[in-house]
Amino acid sequence: MKAFLARLALCGGVVLAAAGFAQPAQAQVAPGILRDRLNIVAATNAARVALLLTQGFRERYPDAQAPEIQVLSTSRAVELFCAGAGVAMADLLVTTRRLSLSAREFCAANGVEETVELRLGLAAAVLAVRRGDAQSSLTARQVYEALAAEIPNERGFERNRAVVWSQVSAAMPAEQIRFILPVSGSGLREVFEDSILEAGCRPLRQIRMIYEADSRRARCVTLRVDGRVAELAAGEIPARLVASQRGTIAVTSFDEVMRSGGNLVALPIDGVTPTRNSIASGEYEATRIVFLYGKRQHARSRGGVGVVRGIAEYLAEASSEAAIGPTGYLGQAGLVPLPTGERVAQRMAAERMSVVRTR
C-alpha cells in the first residue's frame, strides 16, 4: 500500500503526510486566506479514491498548491476531521463510513458545524480466492458458521469446532477453513460484519431470542481465535492471499479484485456474484457508499476570512461526471457509479455547498 500511494502521489502532484499536517505557511497567500494548500484526511480503504480525486483536482486547477493527504484508519480519520475548525485542522475527509450521530456531535462539540456531504459512488466487500482454487458459492450463514467463535445449538451456544467446510455443510468439500480478514475497526471489516456475518446470523432463532441488540451483534461478529482467521491491513490482503495455502478465502474490496489482473476471483454470496451491475442495482448487498466531507467554514468564515482556497473547486471536481460518471476515473478505484439522478444531486450539493448540520 505504501509503495502504491507513493507512486500515485508522484504522478498526481500530491503531498502525502507521514505523521500530522505540515505547519501552516507563515505568510498569507492572498488577502483573507490563511493557508496555501488543502489538507485532506482519508480512511485507508478510501485512499485510492482520495488520491485519484486529488490528481483530478490538480489537473483541472494546475495553479493550485498540491493538496496534502494523510491516510489513516477510518476511526482516526473521522476523529481528525472532527477535531476542530481553523488553520491547523483538516479541510476534507474521504471515507467509506457516513458520519454517525455521535461523530456529528463530536464535530459540533469541537466547532465543526458546517460540513458538506457528497456521495461519490458504491464500493463493495467481497470474498475472494486465488485463481485456480475451487470457486464455491457460499451463503452468509455458512460464512458465519465457519467463522463465529460460538455457534447455536439446541441448548444455546457452543464453541465452534468446525475445521473443514464439510462440517459446516455436508454438500461442501472436506477442505480446511482458512480466512484472511481486514483488521477490526476498518471500514471494509465493518461492511463484512454488517452485510455478511450479521446477515447470516440474525435470522437464527437463538440470536433473535437475545433481547439486547449489542449482545446479538457480539454473538454475530465475535470470531474464532484458533488460528483459522488471520487479520491484516486491507492493503496487505491481496498479496497475502496470492501467497496463501490452497482454499484460503479473503475478504477484500471489489477494487482489489478488479485490479488483480485475474489473480483473484470473487465468490458469489447467496447466489449473487459481485459485478458492477449487481452492485449498482443493490442485488449484491455487501456494498458501501464512499463519502466526501468538506468544511464550508474553511472556505469562508462569518468574518469573511477563509482558511484555505480550493474547497469549492475540490467538491466540484469530485462531483463531476469526469470523476463519478459511468466512464469516470473513480472507476479505477473500483467505484460503481450512482444513478444519474443521484449524481446530479451531488453536483447541486457541491455547487451550493449545502450544509449537513452537526447541531
Side-chain angles (χ1 to χ4, degrees):
M1 169 64 83
K2 290 181 180 178
F4 158 72
L5 294 178
R7 288 197 304 273
L8 190 50
L10 186 61
C11 294
V14 179
V15 178
L16 289 175
F21 288 128
Q23 293 299 311
Q26 296 299 313
Q28 295 183 2
V29 298
I33 301 299
L34 304 179
R35 180 163 24 87
D36 65 349
R37 71 174 75 238
L38 290 168
N39 283 339
I40 302 166
V41 288
T44 303
N45 56 4
R48 185 167 167 81
V49 172
L51 287 161
L52 288 169
L53 281 178
T54 300
Q55 183 176 345
F57 168 79
R58 288 281 288 149
E59 290 174 355
R60 187 169 176 181
Y61 303 102
D63 293 334
Q65 291 290 323
E68 184 175 279
I69 299 176
Q70 191 170 190
V71 179
L72 302 162
S73 68
T74 302
S75 57
R76 180 61 181 139
V78 171
E79 180 183 357
L80 191 57
F81 178 77
C82 287
V87 68
M89 300 298 175
D91 307 304
L92 298 150
L93 166 68
V94 187
T95 179
T96 56
R97 181 192 297 169
R98 189 175 196 182
L99 290 183
S100 64
L101 177 59
S102 60
R104 293 179 190 279
E105 290 174 346
F106 178 66
C107 274
N110 290 321
V112 181
E113 300 176 0
E114 297 182 353
T115 59
V116 180
E117 178 187 275
L118 300 183
R119 300 188 299 275
L120 302 179
L122 297 166
V126 303
L127 301 183
V129 296
R130 301 180 309 177
R131 179 178 58 190
D133 283 4
Q135 298 174 21
S136 302
S137 176
L138 295 172
T139 66
R141 179 167 175 174
Q142 288 168 344
V143 175
Y144 160 71
E145 291 181 349
L147 292 178
E150 295 183 340
I151 57 175
N153 62 17
E154 292 302 319
R155 298 176 301 279
F157 292 86
E158 64 180 359
R159 181 171 63 85
N160 191 347
R161 295 182 173 84
V163 296
V164 293
W165 283 103
S166 56
Q167 292 175 283
V168 175
S169 170
M172 300 183 75
E175 289 193 352
Q176 293 289 317
I177 296 171
R178 296 189 184 90
F179 271 84
I180 304 172
L181 302 183
V183 292
S184 183
S186 66
L188 194 61
R189 176 68 170 266
E190 289 181 352
V191 175
F192 170 68
E193 290 176 348
D194 294 347
S195 303
I196 297 179
L197 283 183
E198 289 206 55
C201 167
R202 283 189 178 273
L204 299 174
R205 175 180 57 84
Q206 295 91 331
I207 299 296
R208 294 197 313 261
M209 290 175 63
I210 299 173
Y211 180 74
E212 294 290 339
D214 287 347
S215 298
R216 289 198 299 270
R217 179 173 173 82
R219 283 289 185 185
C220 290
V221 304
T222 300
L223 305 184
R224 58 197 306 170
V225 290
D226 55 0
R228 297 192 174 274
V229 179
E231 298 186 39
L232 297 174
E236 299 173 9
I237 290 177
R240 175 67 69 86
L241 178 57
V242 170
S244 65
Q245 293 175 282
R246 181 178 179 273
T248 302
I249 297 173
V251 174
T252 188
S253 67
F254 182 68
D255 169 30
E256 294 288 5
V257 172
M258 293 297 98
R259 292 197 293 127
S260 72
N263 289 319
L264 304 182
V265 179
L267 301 179
I269 299 293
D270 293 320
V272 180
T273 301
T275 64
R276 290 189 180 278
N277 287 339
S278 64
I279 293 168
S281 68
E283 184 183 10
Y284 185 78
E285 296 183 355
T287 61
R288 63 191 189 277
I289 296 174
V290 178
F291 291 92
L292 171 64
Y293 290 93
K295 292 177 182 173
R296 194 174 79 173
Q297 289 164 283
H298 281 198
R300 59 160 182 80
S301 69
R302 290 185 179 86
V305 176
V307 170
V308 64
R309 282 182 172 172
I311 292 179
E313 290 80 2
Y314 198 97
L315 296 177
E317 173 63 22
S319 59
S320 68
E321 283 293 281
I324 65 173
T327 60
Y329 58 75
L330 289 187
Q332 297 175 42
L335 259 64
V336 175
L338 298 168
T340 302
E342 290 193 42
R343 298 200 306 274
V344 171
Q346 303 318 298
R347 280 193 289 280
M348 291 178 63
E351 181 179 345
R352 298 171 181 174
M353 295 194 76
S354 302
V355 167
V356 178
R357 293 291 177 184
T358 53
R359 287 187 185 275

